[in-house]
Amino acid sequence: MPRSPRDRRAYLHPRWGREHPRARRPWLHRGRRGSRGGTIARYAGSRRPNGVLWETAWMPVAAPLQQYDDDALLAMLAEYARWGITTVQDGAASMAQIRQIRSIAEGRGLPVDVRSLVVFTELHEALAANVIGTTSHGHTVQGVKLILDGSPQGRTAHVTEEYLTGGPGGQDHWHGITVIDQPHANALVDLAYRNGIQVFAHVNGDAAIDSLLEAHRAAVAAGAAPSAPTIPIHSQVMRPEQLDSYVEAGFAPSMFTVHTYLFGDTHIRNLGRDRAFGISPMRGAIDRGLRPTNHSDYPVTPLNPLLLLWSSVARRSSGGVVLGEDERITPAEALRALTIDAAHEHGCEDDRGSIEVGKLADLVVLDADPLTVDVDAIRDIAVLATYKRGREIPRC
């Protein structure tokens, strides 16, 4: 059962040691069992849920809604192919979803390759099944996905400097939500490293990034070295020196520049110009020798990879504000982030990510060259055809 709001000790924030804003908002309660790190919002003055579920509180509700039949899954993958995507990352898969995808791959076959990440809540089950690292008929179980915080536009990303607009429920001095506490994060990273499992971690805020770095350092200090680069996913509200920590740790960040367009104006309101202008700092990462990738996080944002490429070059919000001109990258660098560097992230650059003799003939035909057209024309480029292993994928 949720803790009573009268138990004020339950609401002391573990990082800042002062009373958590939830203690002053009794209409917010921790989620029930299975939703650690999440919150069920309730109507003021009552215990009746108002329909808003934050972070891990949505998992028990969402799981039944994510059960698709095989035809629906194949239609989803065909949609990726329509946009020129030949390798798809399933960013937080349950064991049931992994078994279903593997069954389709070995039976009817997949139109594109799928690389699944086991959601952290099922890591022990995946280890017992010895499924991580296996590949069959275009389906690979790549690693484990940790979720350490929420989103900056929803004001649930875990940040060290408080939000300028308060919390989503009207909280004062709001720093977002921690989904996995530090001891839990340490244990998960240590377990993954000791079993040769690549770690992918959702970290939107700088405090969440600190937590991932701390978990990495603790595991390494205990003798558990990573077998492949750890991938911080999103890395949006980050401090510049954290990029140096990525270099030191050998991390390979996957960034999220389409936020500069879709949510850029919201980020300025929530975070201020300095922090908002540093969102997903790809220029700083590349200049430090890192190989950042870029992703859509579909269905959170549109699937179109040309829009994503454009956003990393233009970094212009829907309201016309350039969010960090110094963090713009070139079209060629943006293309690398979606191709060969994405393959490097998954350790499969030997057979995909570039056009070379001996690699898979995974090809995309566009109606214009993103390296030569005007910057604002990049997002309007159309995908004419997609080829997987040399064969054109039929368009739905």
Side-chain angles (χ1 to χ4, degrees), residues 154-391:
R155 289 170 286 173
T156 52
H158 189 195
V159 294
T160 54
E161 182 183 343
E162 66 187 50
Y163 287 90
L164 301 181
T165 47
Q171 301 88 341
D172 299 322
H173 308 297
W174 182 250
H175 296 263
I177 288 176
T178 301
V179 176
I180 304 176
D181 61 25
Q182 196 61 55
H184 192 196
N186 289 4
L188 285 167
V189 171
D190 186 87
L191 179 64
Y193 284 4
R194 290 186 187 281
N195 285 276
I197 296 170
Q198 188 174 17
V199 172
F200 294 72
H202 169 118
V203 284
N204 260 316
D206 63 329
I209 293 170
D210 284 340
S211 178
L212 177 61
L213 287 164
E214 183 174 335
H216 166 80
R217 290 164 182 153
V220 171
S227 59
T230 292
I231 312 296
I233 296 175
H234 304 327
S235 295
Q236 291 204 78
V237 190
M238 66 182 307
R239 306 186 304 274
E241 69 270 15
Q242 288 179 317
L243 287 174
D244 298 319
S245 297
Y246 280 4
V247 173
E248 180 183 357
F251 285 5
S254 181
M255 294 187 174
F256 200 8
T257 62
V258 75
H259 258 238
T260 60
Y261 172 60
L262 296 172
F263 301 114
D265 303 304
T266 299
H267 292 333
I268 292 172
R269 288 193 298 271
N270 288 340
L271 303 165
R273 294 173 69 89
D274 288 346
R275 282 189 290 174
F277 281 21
I279 290 281
S280 289
M282 291 194 72
R283 174 81 274 146
I286 292 171
D287 288 349
R288 286 168 171 81
L290 295 168
R291 297 177 64 175
T293 62
N294 209 355
H295 62 266
S296 72
D297 210 29
Y298 179 79
V300 175
T301 64
L303 193 54
N304 184 358
L306 281 307
L307 175 66
L308 181 58
L309 193 157
W310 167 82
S311 70
S312 63
V313 177
R315 292 184 65 94
R316 189 167 64 248
S317 75
S318 58
V321 179
V322 175
L323 268 74
E325 185 173 0
D326 292 344
E327 290 298 341
R328 285 171 160 172
I329 61 175
T330 69
E333 291 168 329
L335 187 61
R336 282 189 59 92
L338 298 177
T339 54
I340 188 63
D341 288 345
H344 169 74
E345 174 182 300
H346 282 262
C348 57
E349 60 187 317
D350 289 344
D351 67 6
R352 70 195 72 197
S354 61
I355 302 174
E356 299 180 58
V357 174
K359 290 194 173 186
L360 301 176
D362 289 1
L363 305 169
V364 179
V365 180
L366 307 177
D367 72 348
D369 184 352
L371 303 183
T372 59
V373 299
D374 291 340
V375 168
D376 282 343
I378 293 174
R379 58 180 168 176
D380 296 322
I381 293 175
V383 176
L384 301 179
T386 306
Y387 290 80
K388 184 65 185 173
R389 290 177 168 83
R391 295 187 176 183

